[in-house]
Amino acid sequence: MAKRVPQISFSLCCIILLSFLLNGCNNSPAVQEQAHTRTFQAPNTRAITYSTQPDDVLIRTFHSGGLYGTLELHPEFSIYGDGTYILGLERKGKLSTDELQQLLNILISTDGVLDFTHQQFSDLQDQNATFLELNLNGSHKELVYGIVNHYHASQQELDEYQRLDRALTAIAAALKGPVQPYQGNDVALLVRRTFSPDLTQTIPDWSLPDFTLAQAAAYECGLLPPDEVSFNGESPCLKYTLPEHAILLNASQLNSLKAQMHGEQGTFSEGGHYYTVILRPLLPDEASRKIVAMFGSAQDSYKDTPLLAGPVPPEPTPTPQK
């Protein structure tokens, strides 16, 4: 008697066949999750690892650095590990995980920005340029995009320059989603002495008892050197160049200053001198790392400005001139 061969139901066959088809056609990236990081790899591309922390910057740009440029008080935009992006200090949006990974894949796998042999693509030092900061695959990369002399550049430099242009275009295109106002919870105080106040406006006296404007200006910009030639001894600090420090305001100090100021910048008087006062809202990474991200003129790379949370040091005694 012949043995009967077990029959598999038609529906079970369909399920098995469908499973094979789906697995064979799956083009979604493989993803690995670890503490505060994510690694993904789309088919035929390299693996990409990035932080998922909401206060870790993945991508950031400034537009500054030229010899005749002014101080940029904040980045053009910042993209964070959770997909949040902040445009300047005014608006914020959110990339989904898929949108963020698509952008990172373009930058790293398609345009290869982490593998560039050149860092600076700018031949006109007096002109501002775009400074691109990347924190991906466990490395920090800075690239400068400006005007390149095509006659003097090598073919490799021109190729990387064109790929950097495409990368910046892709970033700009990705940040076109819906946005809402950004409100920084913490605010830094920036102070510089000015010799050209608008005397047609009412200039309030400095009233905070915690520190003087002279203290703040000296701590952030240093003491002004004696000017024996003119009455204008104005410093380039906080007008063209970075300050040495910034000061974190507490809630009471901030509320007191907001009550006297119309907006985020104003002029105060103290001891017969005038000071420009700027209230600079902090970005998420700045608040957690106690730094302020700015970019000055004649600057060829990014530098953190330390943020003081605590008492302002006393004004130093000037060194006698020899």
Side-chain angles (χ1 to χ4, degrees), residues 192-196 224 227 232-236 239:
R192 67 186 301 271
R193 186 173 166 190
T194 180
F195 291 79
S196 54
L224 290 177
D227 189 343
N232 186 354
E234 198 159 313
S235 164
K239 188 173 184 180

Side-chain angles (χ1 to χ4, degrees), residues 8 42 79 137 157 175 186 195 264 272 286:
I8 302 176
I79 303 177
N137 279 7
E157 183 179 359
L175 306 184
D186 298 299
F195 291 79
E264 295 179 344
E286 297 174 320

Side-chain angles (χ1 to χ4, degrees), residues 1-306:
M1 183 176 178
K3 293 183 178 180
R4 297 182 61 185
V5 179
Q7 293 184 345
I8 302 176
S9 69
F10 177 75
S11 59
L12 182 58
C13 288
C14 290
I15 292 173
I16 295 173
L17 179 60
L18 181 61
S19 175
F20 278 115
L21 289 174
L22 289 175
N23 286 333
C25 297
N26 184 12
N27 289 320
S28 61
V31 178
Q32 293 182 353
E33 300 278 353
Q34 294 182 350
H36 309 310
T37 64
R38 179 178 291 126
T39 299
F40 72 97
Q41 184 172 13
N44 303 317
T45 64
R46 62 192 290 185
I48 300 172
T49 300
Y50 65 96
S51 169
T52 57
Q53 292 290 84
D55 57 354
D56 280 348
V57 175
L58 304 184
I59 307 169
R60 171 172 279 169
T61 65
F62 294 89
H63 188 72
S64 187
L67 295 177
Y68 301 111
T70 56
L71 174 67
E72 287 297 320
L73 289 172
H74 55 76
E76 284 190 308
F77 65 78
S78 307
I79 303 177
Y80 293 89
D82 66 344
T84 297
Y85 61 88
I86 299 175
L87 306 176
L89 296 172
E90 296 80 31
R91 295 168 294 155
K92 71 174 182 178
K94 186 73 176 284
L95 297 174
S96 68
T97 299
D98 286 344
E99 290 170 334
L100 177 59
Q101 291 181 357
Q102 287 173 11
L103 175 59
L104 299 184
N105 201 39
I106 290 172
L107 300 183
I108 295 179
S109 298
T110 304
D111 296 321
V113 293
L114 294 186
D115 301 322
F116 284 4
T117 58
H118 294 80
Q119 184 264 337
Q120 184 161 332
F121 302 87
S122 179
D123 294 330
L124 299 179
Q125 301 304 313
D126 58 337
Q127 299 292 318
N128 283 341
T130 296
F131 289 77
L132 173 63
E133 175 188 351
L134 300 162
N135 296 291
L136 300 166
N137 279 7
S139 64
H140 175 81
K141 184 93 170 181
E142 289 185 30
L143 297 168
V144 183
Y145 177 83
I147 298 175
V148 168
N149 188 327
H150 286 63
Y151 294 102
H152 296 157
S154 66
Q155 187 57 48
Q156 182 177 12
E157 183 179 359
L158 288 177
D159 175 66
E160 292 179 355
Y161 179 66
Q162 292 167 356
R163 284 190 280 152
L164 179 55
D165 178 79
R166 292 198 299 267
L168 291 170
T169 300
I171 296 171
L175 306 184
K176 296 294 186 181
V179 295
Q180 60 188 41
Y182 171 72
Q183 295 288 339
N185 294 324
D186 298 299
V187 174
L189 174 72
L190 302 172
V191 179
R192 67 186 301 271
R193 186 173 166 190
T194 180
F195 291 79
S196 54
D198 183 359
L199 298 178
T200 65
Q201 303 293 322
T202 301
I203 299 178
D205 292 328
W206 182 254
S207 59
L208 281 187
D210 306 308
F211 54 86
T212 66
L213 283 173
Q215 274 180 268
Y219 178 68
E220 295 188 348
C221 289
L223 292 174
L224 290 177
D227 189 343
E228 299 176 356
V229 179
S230 71
F231 292 103
N232 186 354
E234 198 159 313
S235 164
C237 175
L238 280 173
K239 188 173 184 180
Y240 302 105
T241 60
L242 292 178
E244 298 173 10
H245 308 90
I247 298 168
L248 179 64
L249 293 171
N250 62 38
S252 174
Q253 293 165 344
L254 178 59
N255 291 333
S256 177
L257 290 176
K258 280 185 173 181
Q260 292 182 281
M261 297 173 64
H262 303 286
E264 295 179 344
Q265 181 169 327
T267 303
F268 283 83
S269 173
E270 178 188 79
H273 301 304
Y274 298 99
Y275 296 84
T276 298
V277 172
I278 300 170
L279 302 180
R280 163 62 158 80
L282 295 181
L283 295 164
D285 60 298
E286 297 174 320
S288 62
R289 295 179 54 211
K290 295 297 181 289
I291 58 101
V292 182
M294 300 179 285
F295 213 101
S297 64
Q299 196 173 322
D300 57 9
S301 63
Y302 171 75
K303 177 184 176 183
D304 288 336
T305 297

